[in-house]
């Protein structure tokens, strides 16, 4: 469980929900690179503002759903309210889960991805949107957790996992970081980051960004196979990489 001072994700969401912040998120990488993005604004945004790939992924959601790293609960709430699905929102941030409850999400748990077990139920859809394939941390942990998800799901289940192809960038700082990671024997897109907000700061954690080919290699022997990729039509500028959603199916 995150301490209050470590719950930077939760505090930025809670303040933005109450109109007490501009909705920026500060991401610090372990090579000193710092980037501000529209984190809380995105995590509390409405359906009309979402990408086509997110909308298609949500259209394919069915049955009993678990939303891992649900943040402010935007995807969970959409599926609960608009599609009438049973949804469990899970997040390691206690305050993010409080935001979800305040916004009307019925089923929530403060838990990290590593703590999930079939005791929570059996699921038909696993949501990992908002780049949350990253929560797998590294390829070894990804394989272990994917095998665990197999145990927690029903035949025909799907995982909707969003990632960012880190190689689709020209930014010299990102390219140098890939080289640094290779020297450290890490995957080039295995970014070590922490999130800062006011005096709150998460612990350092590894967030895994992978190309489509790397994702396919990670899936090998996990019980999950690729059904299709939903890709972004345009790259963001300046580009950190190309976002896409992978629809994975249980073997
Ligand atoms: C990039 S945000 C995405 C939020 C949401 N999926 C969305 O798209 O709006 C990542 C979320 O994952 C949560 N998180 C980070 N590490 C986690 C972990 N190990 N287990 C579960 N959730 C985690 C954070 O607290 C944060 O709310």
């Amino acid at each position: 469980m995150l301490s209050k001072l470590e719950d930077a994700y939760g505090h930025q969401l809670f303040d933005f929900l109450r109109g007490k912040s501009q909705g920026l998120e500060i991401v610090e990488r372990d090579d000193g690179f710092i980037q501000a993005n529209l984190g809380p604004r995105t995590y509390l945004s409405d359906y009309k503002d979402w990408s086509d790939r997110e909308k298609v992924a949500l259209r394919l959601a069915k049955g009993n759903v678990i939303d891992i790293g649900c943040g402010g609960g935007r995807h969970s709430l959409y599926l609960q309210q608009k599609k009438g699905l049973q949804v469990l929102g899970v997040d390691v941030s206690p305050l993010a889960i409080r935001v979800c409850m305040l916004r009307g999400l019925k089923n929530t748990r403060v838990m990290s991805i590593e703590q999930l077990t079939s005791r929570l139920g059996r699921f038909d859809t696993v949501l990992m949107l908002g780049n949350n394939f990253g929560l797998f941390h590294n390829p070894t942990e990804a394989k272990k957790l994917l095998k665990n998800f197999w145990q927690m799901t029903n035949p025909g289940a799907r995982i909707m996992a969003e990632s960012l192809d880190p190689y689709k960038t020209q930014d010299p700082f990102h390219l140098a970081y890939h080289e640094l990671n290779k020297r450290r024997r890490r995957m080039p897109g295995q970014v070590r980051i922490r999130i800062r907000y006011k005096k709150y700061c998460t612990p350092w954690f590894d967030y895994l960004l992978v190309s489509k080919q790397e994702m396919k290699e990670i899936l090998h022997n996990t019980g999950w196979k690729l059904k299709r990729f939903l890709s972004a039509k345009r790259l963001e500028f300046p580009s950190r990489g190309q976002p896409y959603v992978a629809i994975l199916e249980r073997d």
Side-chain angles (χ1 to χ4, degrees), residues 55-73:
K55 291 178 182 171
V56 175
L58 292 172
R59 211 180 300 144
L60 296 171
K62 56 177 184 171
N64 198 16
V65 181
I66 183 165
D67 184 0
I68 303 176
C70 60

Side-chain angles (χ1 to χ4, degrees), residues 2 7-10 12-13 25 39-40 42-45 50 54 67-75 90-94 96-97 109-116 127-132 135-137 162 195 202 205-207:
L2 291 179
D7 195 358
Y9 266 120
Q12 67 183 14
L13 275 170
E25 171 175 272
T42 307
Y43 310 144
L44 294 179
S45 60
W50 302 348
E54 280 170 295
D67 184 0
I68 303 176
C70 60
R74 60 186 173 129
H75 301 119
V90 172
D91 203 289
V92 77
S93 155
I97 288 299
R109 292 295 284 264
V110 179
M111 266 187 152
S112 88
I113 189 169
E114 297 86 2
Q115 294 173 313
L116 302 176
L127 282 191
M128 302 180 78
L129 297 177
N131 264 343
N132 272 353
L135 297 182
F136 283 143
H137 304 308
E162 190 164 22
I195 307 300
T202 67
F205 61 100
D206 281 351
Y207 203 63

